[in-house]
Amino acid sequence: MKYYLGSLNITLGEYEVDTAIRFSANGNPRLKIHDIAEDFYGNCYCEDDGTYYFNGGEVAVEVGCFEEVSKEVFDSIPNQIAPVLWGKREDE
């Protein structure tokens, strides 16, 4: 078993949320983090660009980066890590 920290880039309407996650995998971690993204918000459909869409396209989830960490680091991080929420900028 190997342990990882990763990120999901989530768009909720006009908001963007970068969410840190932790996960473990016996096999390919890239497949595991894509499974997590695919199951993030219920039934989804996936575009060719690898983005997972939910709720009629209102919610979009993309896989960010991930990195292997030690079991000690993995165990020291809570299951839920606070996301960073970015609102729509006025100048956009």
Side-chain angles (χ1 to χ4, degrees), residues 18-84:
D18 296 331
T19 302
I21 61 170
R22 67 179 199 148
F23 64 98
S24 58
N26 284 321
N28 186 335
R30 184 168 307 284
L31 295 176
K32 178 70 174 189
I33 197 169
H34 276 274
D35 286 345
I36 293 168
E38 186 176 4
D39 292 337
F40 175 79
Y41 200 76
N43 295 329
C44 76
Y45 63 93
C46 182
E47 292 291 335
D48 292 338
D49 64 358
T51 303
Y52 299 94
Y53 293 95
F54 304 87
N55 200 24
E58 184 176 301
V59 178
V61 178
E62 296 175 301
V63 171
C65 59
F66 62 91
E67 183 175 333
E68 186 175 352
V69 296
S70 68
K71 180 160 178 28
E72 292 78 22
V73 169
F74 182 85
D75 288 340
S76 70
I77 297 172
N79 279 336
Q80 296 179 341
I81 302 171
V84 177

